[in-house]
Coordinates of all heavy atoms in Angstrom, one line a residue:
R1166 N -1.6 -7.5 18.8 CA -2.0 -8.4 19.9 C -0.9 -9.4 20.4 O -0.9 -9.8 21.5 CB -3.3 -9.1 19.5 CG -4.5 -8.2 19.2 CD -5.8 -9.0 19.0 NE -6.8 -8.1 18.6 CZ -7.5 -7.3 19.5 NH1 -7.2 -7.4 20.8 NH2 -8.4 -6.5 19.1
N1167 N 0.0 -9.7 19.5 CA 1.1 -10.6 19.8 C 2.4 -9.8 20.2 O 3.4 -10.4 20.4 CB 1.4 -11.6 18.6 CG 0.3 -12.6 18.4 OD1 0.3 -13.6 19.2 ND2 -0.5 -12.4 17.4
N1168 N 2.3 -8.5 20.2 CA 3.4 -7.7 20.6 C 4.6 -7.9 19.7 O 5.7 -7.9 20.3 CB 3.7 -7.8 22.1 CG 4.5 -6.7 22.7 OD1 4.4 -5.6 22.2 ND2 5.4 -7.0 23.7
I1169 N 4.4 -8.0 18.4 CA 5.4 -8.2 17.5 C 5.8 -6.9 16.9 O 5.0 -6.1 16.4 CB 5.0 -9.1 16.3 CG1 4.5 -10.5 16.9 CG2 6.1 -9.3 15.3 CD1 5.6 -11.3 17.7
P1170 N 7.2 -6.5 16.9 CA 7.5 -5.3 16.3 C 7.4 -5.1 14.8 O 7.5 -6.2 14.1 CB 9.0 -5.2 16.7 CG 9.5 -6.6 16.9 CD 8.3 -7.3 17.4
Y1171 N 7.1 -4.0 14.3 CA 7.0 -3.8 12.9 C 7.7 -2.4 12.6 O 7.6 -1.5 13.3 CB 5.5 -3.8 12.4 CG 4.6 -2.9 13.1 CD1 4.4 -1.5 12.7 CD2 3.9 -3.3 14.1 CE1 3.5 -0.8 13.3 CE2 3.0 -2.5 14.8 CZ 2.8 -1.2 14.4 OH 1.9 -0.4 15.0
V1172 N 8.2 -2.4 11.3 CA 8.8 -1.1 10.9 C 8.0 -0.7 9.5 O 8.2 -1.5 8.6 CB 10.3 -1.2 10.6 CG1 10.8 0.1 10.1 CG2 11.0 -1.6 11.9
L1173 N 7.4 0.4 9.5 CA 6.8 0.9 8.3 C 7.6 2.1 7.8 O 7.6 3.2 8.3 CB 5.3 1.4 8.6 CG 4.4 0.4 9.2 CD1 3.0 1.0 9.6 CD2 4.3 -0.9 8.4
A1174 N 8.3 1.9 6.7 CA 9.2 2.8 6.1 C 8.4 3.6 5.1 O 7.7 3.1 4.2 CB 10.4 2.2 5.4
G1175 N 8.5 5.0 5.3 CA 7.7 5.9 4.4 C 8.3 6.1 3.0 O 9.5 5.7 2.7
S1176 N 7.5 6.7 2.1 CA 7.8 7.1 0.8 C 7.3 8.4 0.4 O 6.3 8.8 1.0 CB 7.3 6.0 -0.1 OG 7.3 6.5 -1.5
I1177 N 7.9 9.1 -0.5 CA 7.4 10.4 -0.9 C 6.0 10.3 -1.6 O 5.3 11.3 -1.7 CB 8.4 11.0 -1.9 CG1 8.1 12.5 -2.1 CG2 8.4 10.4 -3.2 CD1 9.2 13.3 -2.8
R1178 N 5.7 9.1 -2.0 CA 4.4 8.8 -2.7 C 3.2 8.6 -1.7 O 2.1 8.6 -2.1 CB 4.5 7.6 -3.6 CG 5.6 7.7 -4.6 CD 5.8 6.3 -5.3 NE 6.1 5.3 -4.2 CZ 6.0 4.0 -4.4 NH1 5.4 3.5 -5.4 NH2 6.3 3.2 -3.4
D1179 N 3.5 8.4 -0.4 CA 2.5 8.0 0.5 C 1.4 9.1 0.7 O 1.6 10.3 0.8 CB 3.1 7.8 1.9 CG 4.0 6.5 2.0 OD1 3.7 5.6 1.1 OD2 4.8 6.4 2.8
D1180 N 0.1 8.6 0.6 CA -0.9 9.4 1.0 C -1.3 9.2 2.4 O -1.5 8.2 2.8 CB -2.2 9.3 0.1 CG -2.5 7.8 -0.2 OD1 -1.8 6.9 0.5 OD2 -3.4 7.4 -0.9
G1181 N -1.4 10.3 3.1 CA -1.6 10.3 4.6 C -0.3 10.8 5.3 O -0.2 11.9 5.5
P1182 N 0.6 9.9 5.7 CA 0.4 8.5 5.8 C -0.1 8.2 7.3 O -0.4 9.0 7.9 CB 1.9 8.0 5.6 CG 2.7 9.1 6.2 CD 2.1 10.4 5.9
L1183 N 0.0 6.9 7.6 CA -0.4 6.6 8.9 C 0.6 7.1 9.9 O 1.7 7.2 9.6 CB -0.4 5.0 9.1 CG -1.5 4.3 8.3 CD1 -1.3 2.7 8.3 CD2 -3.0 4.6 8.9
P1184 N 0.2 7.4 11.1 CA 1.1 8.0 12.1 C 2.3 7.1 12.5 O 3.3 7.6 12.9 CB 0.2 8.3 13.3 CG -1.0 7.5 13.1 CD -1.2 7.4 11.7
D1185 N 2.2 5.8 12.3 CA 3.2 4.8 12.6 C 4.4 4.8 11.5 O 5.4 4.3 11.8 CB 2.7 3.5 12.9 CG 1.7 3.4 14.0 OD1 0.5 3.9 13.8 OD2 1.9 2.8 15.0
V1186 N 4.0 5.4 10.4 CA 5.1 5.3 9.3 C 6.2 6.2 9.6 O 6.1 7.3 10.1 CB 4.4 5.8 8.0 CG1 5.4 5.9 6.9 CG2 3.4 4.7 7.5
I1187 N 7.4 5.8 9.3 CA 8.7 6.6 9.6 C 9.0 7.3 8.3 O 9.4 6.6 7.4 CB 9.8 5.6 10.0 CG1 9.5 4.9 11.3 CG2 11.1 6.5 10.2 CD1 10.5 3.9 11.8
P1188 N 8.8 8.6 8.2 CA 9.1 9.4 7.0 C 10.5 9.6 6.6 O 10.9 9.7 5.4 CB 8.3 10.6 7.2 CG 8.4 10.9 8.7 CD 8.3 9.5 9.3
N1189 N 11.4 9.6 7.6 CA 12.8 9.8 7.3 C 13.5 8.5 7.0 O 13.5 7.5 7.8 CB 13.5 10.4 8.5 CG 14.9 10.9 8.2 OD1 15.7 10.0 8.0 ND2 15.2 12.2 8.3
V1190 N 14.0 8.4 5.7 CA 14.7 7.1 5.3 C 15.8 6.7 6.2 O 16.0 5.4 6.4 CB 15.1 7.3 3.8 CG1 16.3 8.2 3.7 CG2 15.5 5.9 3.3
Y1191 N 16.5 7.6 6.8 CA 17.7 7.1 7.7 C 17.2 6.6 9.0 O 17.7 5.6 9.5 CB 18.6 8.4 7.9 CG 19.3 8.9 6.6 CD1 18.9 10.1 6.1 CD2 20.2 8.1 6.0 CE1 19.5 10.5 4.9 CE2 20.8 8.5 4.8 CZ 20.5 9.7 4.3 OH 21.1 10.2 3.1
D1192 N 16.1 7.2 9.5 CA 15.5 6.6 10.7 C 14.9 5.3 10.5 O 15.0 4.4 11.3 CB 14.4 7.6 11.2 CG 15.0 8.9 11.7 OD1 16.2 9.0 12.0 OD2 14.2 9.9 11.8
A1193 N 14.3 5.2 9.2 CA 13.7 3.9 8.9 C 14.8 2.8 8.8 O 14.6 1.6 9.2 CB 12.9 4.0 7.6
Q1194 N 15.9 3.2 8.1 CA 17.1 2.2 8.1 C 17.5 1.7 9.4 O 17.7 0.5 9.6 CB 18.2 2.9 7.3 CG 18.0 2.9 5.9 CD 19.2 3.5 5.1 OE1 20.0 4.2 5.8 NE2 19.4 3.3 3.9
D1195 N 17.7 2.7 10.3 CA 18.1 2.3 11.7 C 17.2 1.4 12.3 O 17.5 0.5 13.1 CB 18.3 3.6 12.5 CG 19.5 4.5 12.1 OD1 20.3 3.9 11.4 OD2 19.5 5.6 12.4

Side-chain angles (χ1 to χ4, degrees):
R1166 295 188 185 283
N1167 289 283
N1168 200 29
I1169 302 298
Y1171 55 87
V1172 178
L1173 304 178
S1176 164
I1177 195 171
R1178 303 168 301 155
D1179 289 340
D1180 44 4
L1183 294 170
D1185 300 72
V1186 172
I1187 303 173
N1189 185 298
V1190 66
Y1191 296 110
D1192 293 339
Q1194 282 182 341
D1195 290 341

